[in-house]
Amino acid sequence: AGDPAKLSARHAFPALWTMEREHGSLLRGQNAQARARRARGETAPAIVSFRRGLQTLTDALAAGLPPGALCTEVTIEHLTAKPRWAVVWRDAAGTHSREFDAIVSALPATGLAGLRIGAMGEKPLAGLAGIVHPPVASLFLGFRREQVAHPLDGFGLLVPAREKRHLLGVLFSSSLFPGRAPSGHVALTVMAGGTRQPELAGLAAADLLQAVRGDLKDLLGVSGEPVFVRHTSWPRAIPQYNLGHEQHLNAIAACERVYPGLFVGGQVRDGIAVPACIAAGEKLATRATS
């Protein structure tokens, strides 16, 4: 979704950055990691998901909370820190306030930027509004197996900008995980938009399908109409860890120092992939409870 010329390798790909720093080369680093895994008797990490989609994970987390602990569709109006943390929020029933020992936040950058903290209602993280979030749209498409000439024997494809196509990439969803398409059919997840062509992310489903149809035919031998279409658009999709991202990380750390008992994590700070989100959540919980 982003512009590779602007991404910070240190922040967007910290494992690769560390590998190069420690071993002088990505290949030597990968070989060292493989040797270490074999010495521990481990195999390479697998690609995993859930039979009914990623919402299975968040549903399970929500189900583990105490009754009445979860409030959705609310707006946090204000946080004050003395003597205890007071949270003022608004929902359909009106405005409410309650005190807590600490605040743990996994808000996205825009939410943090608008968060009012302190007696004067300051917005100490307003600068996070400058983090770029390119728009992205996806088409989850189902086809009969005979409509797709490509064997779909892989993870998917990424399209370099120099090819000047309408696609960012395609995931071979039914090849990756079971249950993504019925027998005799295949499923493809098509991504479009990003920093290259943000206008595509705002198209209606039919218009976006028409825009990518030629690319799907050229690259995968797709013919005819899909038997299933699901369209999703994210106007602000993936936060970009661009060069200079440390200024945002420094602002978050400074805010935590000024307001003890406030713990900030989430995709703006610790990565966006599911494994990164899980690791970040565990780290955040450890910090808050210690």
Side-chain angles (χ1 to χ4, degrees), residues 136-244:
V136 174
S138 77
L139 286 173
F140 183 83
L141 304 176
F143 293 96
R144 295 185 300 276
R145 173 65 266 199
E146 61 269 19
Q147 288 181 270
V148 182
H150 194 280
L152 304 180
D153 52 348
F155 180 91
L157 63 90
L158 293 172
V159 179
R162 64 187 298 174
E163 292 191 10
K164 300 187 185 304
R165 294 186 179 275
H166 292 92
L167 300 176
L168 293 173
V170 182
L171 296 176
F172 302 163
S173 300
S174 54
S175 298
L176 289 171
F177 306 114
R180 280 0 186 213
S183 177
H185 294 74
V186 295
L188 305 173
T189 302
V190 178
M191 300 290 187
T195 57
R196 295 185 209 166
Q197 297 170 301
E199 68 281 359
L200 293 180
L203 293 178
D207 295 330
L208 181 58
L209 179 58
Q210 184 61 34
V212 302
R213 190 184 300 273
D215 293 342
L216 292 175
K217 180 179 179 180
D218 291 345
L219 299 171
L220 300 174
V222 175
S223 62
E225 297 296 320
V227 297
F228 181 87
V229 178
R230 186 176 67 213
H231 173 244
T232 309
S233 180
W234 295 272
R236 295 175 58 82
I238 304 172
Q240 298 299 295
Y241 293 6
N242 285 338
L243 294 169

Side-chain angles (χ1 to χ4, degrees), residues 88-108:
V88 179
W89 76 93
R90 174 171 44 84
D91 59 18
T95 301
H96 314 269
S97 179
R98 186 175 171 185
E99 291 189 345
F100 297 90
D101 295 324
I103 302 293
V104 176
S105 169
L107 287 170

